[in-house]
Amino acid sequence: MVENRPLANLVSHLILITGVAIVAFPVYLALVASSSDPTTIANGQLGLIPEGHLFENYWKVLFQGTERSTKQPMIVPLFNSLVMALIISIGKIAISLISAFAIIYFRFPFRHTAFWVIFLTLMLPVEVRIYPTYKIVADLGMLDTYAGLTIPLIASATATLLFRQFFMTVPDELLEASKIDGAGPWMFFKDTLLPLSMTSIAAMFVIQFIYGWNQYLWPLLITTRDDMQTIVIGIQKMLYVTDALTEWQLAMATTILAMLPPVVVVVAMQKLFVRGLTETEK
Amino acid sequence: MADVRLTSVGKIYAGSVPAVKDISFTVPDGGFCVLVGPSGCGKSTLLRMIAGLETITMGEVRIGDRVVNTVEPMDRDIAMVFQNYALYPHMSVYDNMAYGLRNRKTPEAEISARVAEAARILELEPYLKRRPRELSGGQRQRVAMGRAIVRKPQVFLFDEPLSNLDAKLRGAMRVEIKKLQRHLGVTAVYVTHDQLEAMTLADMLVVMNQGVVEQIGAPLDLYERPETVFVAQFIGAPPMNMIELTPTKGLPAGLDGVAGLPLPAAGARLGIRPEHLGVEIDGDARIETRPGDVRLALTVEAVEAVGAETYIHGRLGGDGQMIAAREHGKVLLPAGTTRTFTARREHLHLFDLATGRRIAH
């Protein structure tokens, strides 16, 4: 809408600012807490102005860990989470692209059955089939491994559906032109379909990276060793301390660190994201 | 260079009626063959069978000396221009043209020479680095042509390449395509539903209807001697007037002079092209009546003057069927007046009422 009404402008800005404040304030508070002295939070004296222990706290949490709870340097679970999120997002995109390609561009027996079986997995997320999945992963000896962490989460239909929908909008003539230009199926996939899917891939990467990064239940079940823990579990474990005060400043520092990679991914992919929304021509 | 030879070619989609039935013709080397017909007549299917994009269920397609029924599209030595151009959106104009050559492992120096040559011919030189979306419709069309000519194929296939352009550009590109094809001397098969395109481009016109060939020949031969009612009415605008003559039912009112025609007992259709209906204007005997001429009394309903010529639509005998006539210059007859229009004996076409085929007379 192209309108120029100062009052409406003011009101809409106020509403937006309020919304941003509601979302951003807790984050800000976590940032302030992560820069504070252990006693400040314990005494209930946390103010709104950051204190001077920022680098000290982050250094400590990254490379030394807490003194009273897990005593693990948090760089390890951060790294684990990063590996897990990357394997899940890349693995999922790779498998989905290939399966969507097969479903749309190849005529083979039970093609529709294959599609509907893939579709059915949408109704059976990891949480529903967690017991059998755990059993399989345990029997295959994949507990406490990256494979065990990621493979069950890679297998799901969302990305396949998205790419299937996208491939259906690609004009058939492009395939035919490729055939006449001497490109086989693999070259058509690599030279035409993949470049055209770049924006969808970026969108999928963002969604799946955050999905993988935020996993809680599954890593909780299949990891027991400290060096295989993910960051979300790391934070959770930090908070349980018996007969002592929780080191909130360190927990908050970990929280802030845990938020950074998804933010980086979103910011880095934003340009592609927007291009995907504005460039519709194929 | 090669001819394209079709022998009893047919296409049946699984569990459906035949889309194309028993088609045989040969496009001579360097010839320009246009397949024309209404939508759904099977012309695109036929072209796609020549291209290798559809399987051939019956008959045989030869390009040059080779039967290509089971040959992959890339190995048929053809190039195709699609209706929506089908340019690769993520590639530059240069890469669009070079892609097919690269897939054939052509040396890069040869590729750039061929693309430069095509760009020169098609006046695309300033746009080689652009993406297709940064080009106008006409430029995209030329890129699609460029992609076809850099391949130096034996046969060009065109699938309604001009139907996405506006009327003015379409006329200009039509001339370009014809010039280019002459210049390169490559055999071409061109599909269109536009009879004007078909008439102006073709050396050889194939009129199709409902999966079968109605008539094959030079465009003007088809215009002057249509073998069927369908061809007569499809080619030419406005279409040929068709008057049903059934001796048992009596002749339509307002029609005079058909007594000498060899009408079969079952009846016939009399075809008269609009430009063959001459009218007398205010006693000025533009038409000198001869024996055997057919005269139609038309009551004028509408007059369309477009400058160089005038289209007159009138009803035969006052309340009969609508007849269109095309006169040179300005012939501004007031609506409601009744005039006699004369058609020469040699300009009459007679078709069998039942079969729709031409009757010699």
Side-chain angles (χ1 to χ4, degrees):
Chain A
M1 266 201 295
V2 186
E3 278 187 64
N4 191 11
R5 285 187 298 180
L7 189 66
N9 260 339
L10 188 71
V11 172
S12 51
H13 275 90
L14 274 178
I15 293 171
L16 288 174
I17 289 165
T18 315
V20 170
I22 291 172
V23 174
F25 184 68
V27 178
Y28 176 74
L29 212 59
L31 191 69
V32 172
S34 71
S35 70
S36 71
D37 187 64
T39 52
T40 321
I41 303 176
N43 295 340
Q45 288 169 335
L46 185 66
L48 288 179
I49 294 145
E51 292 176 40
H53 304 278
L54 192 74
F55 293 106
E56 178 194 324
N57 284 341
Y58 280 83
W59 181 265
K60 198 169 172 190
V61 84
L62 272 178
F63 301 108
Q64 291 162 12
T66 55
E67 281 164 25
R68 288 167 225 150
S69 57
T70 50
K71 304 187 178 70
Q72 295 289 324
M74 279 299 145
I75 187 86
V76 178
L78 269 175
F79 176 76
N80 288 342
S81 275
L82 185 70
V83 170
M84 180 180 171
L86 282 177
I87 294 180
I88 288 178
S89 38
I90 293 169
K92 213 164 186 166
I93 288 169
I95 287 179
S96 305
L97 273 172
I98 294 167
S99 51
F101 181 56
I103 286 169
I104 296 294
Y105 289 101
F106 290 86
R107 271 182 231 130
F108 52 91
F110 304 113
R111 182 164 73 120
H112 292 285
T113 319
F115 172 70
W116 285 110
V117 168
I118 294 173
F119 188 83
L120 217 66
T121 64
L122 267 189
M123 289 164 220
L124 299 168
V126 174
E127 288 75 10
V128 177
R129 55 186 159 89
I130 201 149
Y131 215 86
T133 311
Y134 180 84
K135 170 84 173 130
I136 291 169
V137 169
D139 288 354
L140 290 175
M142 295 200 297
L143 295 179
D144 279 324
T145 62
Y146 287 129
L149 265 179
T150 52
I151 289 172
L153 296 172
I154 286 176
S156 92
T158 39
T160 310
L161 281 179
L162 180 108
F163 289 125
R164 174 184 175 264
Q165 291 313 111
F166 174 74
F167 289 170
M168 290 201 308
T169 66
V170 173
D172 290 342
E173 283 86 350
L174 275 184
L175 172 67
E176 292 170 351
S178 298
K179 275 188 192 167
I180 289 174
D181 271 341
W186 173 241
M187 284 178 77
F188 169 68
F189 181 71
K190 177 171 71 81
D191 292 341
T192 306
L193 217 48
L194 219 49
L196 288 179
S197 315
M198 248 14 249
T199 50
S200 309
I201 291 173
M204 219 53 227
F205 183 80
V206 171
I207 295 167
Q208 296 304 335
F209 186 88
I210 294 172
Y211 166 82
W213 186 267
N214 288 343
Q215 281 302 316
Y216 178 69
L217 185 59
W218 184 247
L220 186 67
L221 275 178
I222 77 141
T223 59
T224 47
R225 278 185 4 227
D226 285 340
D227 64 340
M228 282 308 294
Q229 268 166 18
T230 60
I231 190 70
V232 183
I233 292 169
I235 295 171
Q236 192 268 345
K237 284 196 172 167
M238 266 183 163
L239 304 180
Y240 287 94
V241 190
T242 40
D243 300 330
L245 288 170
T246 303
E247 289 153 288
W248 281 109
Q249 80 283 10
L250 299 185
M252 286 302 135
T254 317
T255 313
I256 295 289
L257 286 172
M259 280 188 333
L260 286 179
V263 169
V264 169
V265 166
V266 170
V267 170
M269 295 280 172
Q270 201 183 20
K271 217 175 137 192
L272 266 177
F273 231 9
V274 173
R275 227 170 68 189
L277 295 176
T278 50
E279 263 177 36
T280 50
E281 200 168 356
K282 291 182 192 78
Chain B
M1 302 299 125
D3 55 359
V4 176
R5 194 179 296 266
L6 277 68
T7 316
S8 303
V9 172
K11 171 83 188 176
I12 299 178
Y13 290 101
S16 154
V17 290
V20 170
K21 280 173 275 187
D22 191 28
I23 288 183
S24 305
F25 61 82
T26 301
V27 187
D29 184 13
F32 201 116
C33 168
V34 175
L35 306 177
V36 69
S39 54
C41 72
K43 57 190 190 296
S44 284
T45 308
L46 192 61
L47 186 81
R48 292 163 57 81
M49 284 197 279
I50 300 173
L53 300 171
E54 298 272 358
T55 53
I56 298 161
T57 44
M58 279 172 290
E60 183 183 280
V61 174
R62 275 173 188 272
I63 295 175
D65 303 326
R66 253 182 345 150
V67 176
V68 295
N69 281 33
T70 55
V71 177
E72 287 293 317
M74 67 169 289
D75 299 320
R76 292 193 182 193
D77 215 354
I78 49 149
M80 186 154 170
V81 178
F82 294 88
Q83 179 174 0
N84 64 3
Y85 321 133
L87 301 176
Y88 307 116
H90 57 289
M91 293 187 197
S92 67
V93 168
Y94 182 94
D95 289 333
N96 260 287
M97 292 201 256
Y99 184 62
L101 295 175
R102 286 197 186 122
N103 289 344
R104 282 177 172 73
K105 309 271 185 286
T106 316
E108 204 60 39
E110 164 102 29
I111 293 178
S112 63
R114 285 209 207 170
V115 172
E117 167 76 5
R120 192 184 55 76
I121 296 173
L122 295 164
E123 293 165 22
L124 282 171
E125 280 153 327
Y127 311 111
L128 283 176
K129 288 203 169 62
R130 294 209 194 162
R131 297 284 176 91
R133 69 166 170 279
E134 295 161 322
L135 301 177
S136 69
Q139 288 164 346
R140 287 180 205 190
Q141 220 285 325
R142 291 213 296 274
V143 177
M145 298 275 299
R147 191 166 62 177
I149 65 177
V150 292
R151 297 259 311 278
K152 302 197 172 161
Q154 294 195 319
V155 182
F156 280 141
L157 303 174
F158 297 93
D159 189 4
E160 309 210 14
L162 302 182
S163 48
N164 281 1
L165 300 178
D166 63 59
K168 201 175 155 194
L169 205 53
R170 204 180 303 156
M173 282 309 295
R174 204 167 64 210
V175 178
E176 291 287 314
I177 288 178
K178 183 78 178 171
K179 261 177 23 195
L180 196 65
Q181 189 262 348
R182 283 263 166 75
H183 172 73
L184 300 170
V186 176
T187 314
V189 182
Y190 186 107
V191 161
T192 182
H193 60 264
D194 182 314
Q195 55 100 12
L196 183 66
E197 252 171 51
M199 292 294 288
T200 49
L201 283 172
D203 304 327
M204 173 182 166
L205 193 55
V206 178
V207 181
M208 292 181 63
N209 185 31
Q210 295 181 341
V212 296
V213 167
E214 291 274 338
Q215 193 175 354
I216 299 175
L220 286 178
D221 289 348
L222 262 66
Y223 187 81
E224 282 159 10
R225 271 187 69 86
E227 283 302 326
T228 64
V229 172
F230 179 83
V231 175
Q233 293 208 293
F234 193 78
I235 305 232
M240 185 185 279
N241 299 298
M242 283 289 168
I243 304 165
E244 209 171 292
L245 303 178
T246 341
T248 49
K249 281 197 225 159
L251 297 174
L255 186 64
D256 191 20
V258 293
L261 292 172
L263 297 183
R269 277 176 213 278
L270 174 65
I272 307 170
R273 293 228 176 257
E275 65 268 31
H276 292 148
L277 280 171
V279 66
E280 280 182 28
I281 303 161
D282 298 331
D284 149 41
R286 282 175 98 171
I287 309 298
E288 160 202 354
T289 321
R290 294 186 205 149
D293 288 352
V294 167
R295 287 175 303 283
L296 287 79
L298 298 184
T299 306
V300 177
E301 289 209 343
V303 174
E304 298 170 310
V306 293
E309 51 196 16
T310 308
Y311 301 101
I312 298 167
H313 302 274
R315 284 206 185 274
L316 184 61
D319 55 358
Q321 71 180 98
M322 285 297 283
I323 300 284
R326 179 158 148 194
E327 308 296 330
H328 285 294
K330 286 185 283 187
V331 182
L332 302 172
L333 299 176
T337 51
T338 300
R339 292 296 173 101
T340 301
F341 290 71
T342 309
R344 295 259 181 258
R345 168 88 191 224
E346 63 266 29
H347 290 149
L348 303 179
H349 305 267
L350 265 189
F351 302 94
D352 188 280
L353 189 61
T355 64
R357 303 209 69 84
R358 187 179 188 85
I359 302 167
H361 67 91

